[in-house]
Amino acid sequence: MHSVREESTNRVLIFDRGHAEKILQEHACHFNTHRPHQTHDQRAPLDDPNVIPLPTARIERRHAVAGLINEYRHAA
């Protein structure tokens, strides 16, 4: 696991406090709702452990945290 500084703030030029808050908020959202965690069996911390997602054939990529991180999700 990397720090927010290593994953996000060291990779973008922050213009002002509002921009910094936006980057940190996006990073926290990504970390808690999408990013897989080894201690949670590769689920995000806020995922429901009783729900088993069905596999799909297509994967979609979405840029997160000002394009610094790519999120991958099963396509609908």
Side-chain angles (χ1 to χ4, degrees):
M1 180 167 80
H2 301 282
S3 69
V4 66
R5 182 177 179 179
E6 185 178 346
E7 287 186 347
S8 297
T9 59
N10 275 358
R11 298 175 182 220
V12 65
L13 180 61
I14 296 176
F15 298 108
D16 58 17
R17 181 180 176 153
H19 186 227
E21 288 174 354
K22 182 178 185 225
I23 295 294
L24 293 174
Q25 182 181 26
E26 285 185 31
H27 183 87
C29 180
H30 168 75
F31 188 85
N32 290 319
T33 61
H34 178 76
R35 185 178 176 277
H37 293 254
Q38 291 180 351
T39 59
H40 295 275
D41 294 326
Q42 296 304 317
R43 292 186 316 272
L46 299 180
D47 281 353
D48 183 351
N50 298 318
V51 174
I52 300 170
L54 298 174
T56 61
R58 238 176 38 121
I59 302 292
E60 291 180 347
R61 180 178 70 178
R62 182 180 86 81
H63 296 289
V65 191
L68 298 174
I69 296 174
N70 291 313
E71 290 182 353
Y72 297 91
R73 298 178 189 262
H74 295 284

